């Protein structure tokens, strides 16, 4: 039994090795990390340095164990080191690490993804979600011969220049939604609308009727906490794009094959023109992809003139990780994820109620956020009005109890198939204790 699961055991956690490693890290890596959200800047303290993981559990370099709700920010939908994924990867390592030439796993994964996501004919693999989104908007601009892209404030589509405008995720967490270094030129063709507010999108179309190449949207906003689309919102975006011959781009880097077998496209029955993927489709290895209807995708080089390339794109290990992961994600797997995530939601709400803490749990499938707020969170401004000071206290009270939450109130927690009933119940119990502690 992991220490976090041991009932009523007072676990004294020592972080000596983590501290040493993080000090070394800070000397050679900006902020000690390779991606800002990993640092604890907004919650304070230093992050534990991770030595390994299995199932739903992380272990740090001091031997402390944590129930993990980061899941590498989404990819680990089966849990860490799932046996069939590991076996497939071991076999793939013995075959070859990278060829820079066509290989079979990229064809198999493309076929699998296309078979799942309705309306998708072709796909191009890249190495990250950022690459996927920046390539998708290049394609949208080329296809429409227009420049302007609409995004949503608090929407996060990776760190390419044109997206770092009112951006979510780490940019929101650290108060850098408009990063220095992004030139006025790079940002000048980005417009921001308000998530779940079709009127704000309509006004942008009315202001520049012939200039909008497309809208890029997270079908479930996941980078300012979990915000489901209001009924009719995605269909409304589709209609606005249709009316103006603009393209609708779903950024499914987070939702892709997490929220359902066919991703958000299937869940909400709205078909975008282009879609981006990442995270789950690599099973924990670096990957991204963008895809769409054949006539659009054939514009991509070498079929067409829109240039985009990558030395490691379609890497056989990443493709194998994705294939092995998707192979496990059948309808039953999604029902199970839903059942366990629903129980976590219910348990967290009960814990809040019994400690008289005003809170909302917003959830779509196995992604959820506990907002310390007594209002529904429908957009970025609503997320900003949540009590992030209270989140900070809760975060540390949970970490002390061995629950590893995303270190920001603007992020989603990710439930995996390795979060069994015992782990979910223990999380609920620990959340109750943590809430009692911070409200005393
Ligand atoms: N979309 C992820 C967090 N919201 C990205 C992870 C990262 O930025 O490191």
């Amino acid at each position: 039994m992991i220490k976090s699961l041991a009932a009523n055991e007072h676990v004294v956690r020592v972080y000596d090795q983590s501290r040493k490693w993080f000090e070394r890290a800070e000397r050679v890596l900006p902020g000690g990390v390779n991606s800002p959200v990993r640092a604890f800047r907004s919650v304070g303290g230093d992050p534990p340095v991770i030595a390994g993981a299995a199932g739903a559990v992380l272990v740090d370099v001091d031997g402390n164990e944590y129930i993990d709700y980061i899941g590498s920010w989404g990819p680990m939908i089966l849990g860490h080191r799932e046996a069939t994924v590991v076996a497939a990867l071991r076999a793939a390592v013995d075959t070859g690490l990278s060829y820079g030439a066509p290989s079979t796993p990229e064809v198999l994964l493309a076929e699998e993804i296309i078979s799942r996501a309705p309306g998708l004919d072709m796909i191009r693999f890249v190495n990250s979600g950022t690459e996927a989104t920046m390539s998708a908007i290049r394609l949208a601009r080329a296809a429409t011969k227009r420049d302007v892209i609409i995004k949503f404030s608090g929407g996060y589509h990776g760190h390419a220049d044109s997206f770092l405008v009112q951006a979510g995720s780490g940019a929101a967490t650290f108060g850098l939604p408009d990063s220095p270094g992004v030139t006025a030129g790079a940002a000048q063709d980005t417009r921001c609308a308000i998530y779940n507010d079709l009127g704000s999108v309509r006004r942008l179309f009315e202001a520049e009727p012939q200039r909008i190449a497309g809208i890029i949207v997270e079908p479930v906003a996941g980078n300012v906490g979990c915000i489901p689309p209001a009924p009719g919102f995605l269909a409304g975006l589709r209609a606005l794009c249709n009316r103006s011959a603009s393209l609708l781009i779903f950024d499914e880097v987070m939702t892709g094959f997490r929220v359902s077998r066919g991703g958000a496209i299937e869940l909400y029955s709205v078909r975008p023109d282009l879609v981006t993927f990442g995270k789950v489709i690599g099973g924990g290895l670096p990957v991204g992809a963008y895809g769409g209807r054949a006539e659009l995708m054939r514009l991509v080089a070498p079929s067409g003139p829109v240039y985009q390339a990558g030395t490691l794109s379609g890497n056989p290990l990443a493709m194998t990780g994705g294939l092995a992961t998707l192979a496990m994600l059948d309808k039953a797997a999604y029902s199970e994820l839903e059942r366990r995530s629903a129980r976590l939601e219910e348990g967290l709400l009960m814990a809040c109620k019994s400690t008289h803490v005003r809170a909302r749990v917003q959830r779509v499938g196995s992604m959820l956020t506990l907002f310390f707020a007594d209002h529904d969170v429908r957009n970025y401004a609503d997320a900003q009005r949540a009590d992030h000071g209270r989140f900070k206290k809760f975060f540390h009270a949970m970490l002390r109890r061995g629950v590893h939450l995303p270190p920001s109130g603007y992020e989603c927690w990710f439930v995996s198939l390795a979060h069994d009933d015992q782990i979910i119940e223990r999380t609920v119990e620990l959340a109750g204790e943590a809430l009692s502690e911070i409200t005393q």
Side-chain angles (χ1 to χ4, degrees), residues 155-207:
Y156 182 72
H157 308 285
H159 60 88
D161 285 358
S162 23
F163 297 123
L164 286 181
V165 181
Q166 296 181 32
S169 190
T173 301
F174 300 120
L176 298 169
D178 306 287
S179 171
V182 173
T183 63
Q188 75 181 4
D189 290 322
T190 304
R191 305 286 177 272
C192 280
I194 300 169
Y195 195 78
N196 278 330
D197 179 350
L198 281 175
S200 72
V201 186
R202 199 174 300 117
R203 286 191 285 281
L204 291 175
F205 273 100
E206 283 163 6

Side-chain angles (χ1 to χ4, degrees), residues 234-243 246-248 270-273:
L234 297 174
L237 296 181
R238 178 69 276 171
L240 285 170
C241 284
N242 288 351
R243 201 172 306 153
S246 303
L247 300 183
L248 180 61
V270 173
R271 291 211 181 168
D273 300 288

Side-chain angles (χ1 to χ4, degrees), residues 35-38 72-73 156 169-170 222-223 253-254 279 410-411:
S35 194
V37 289
R38 295 176 199 175
S72 190
W73 302 95
Y156 182 72
S169 190
N223 283 284
V253 168
M254 201 177 272
K279 301 192 191 275
Y410 291 108
E411 299 285 358

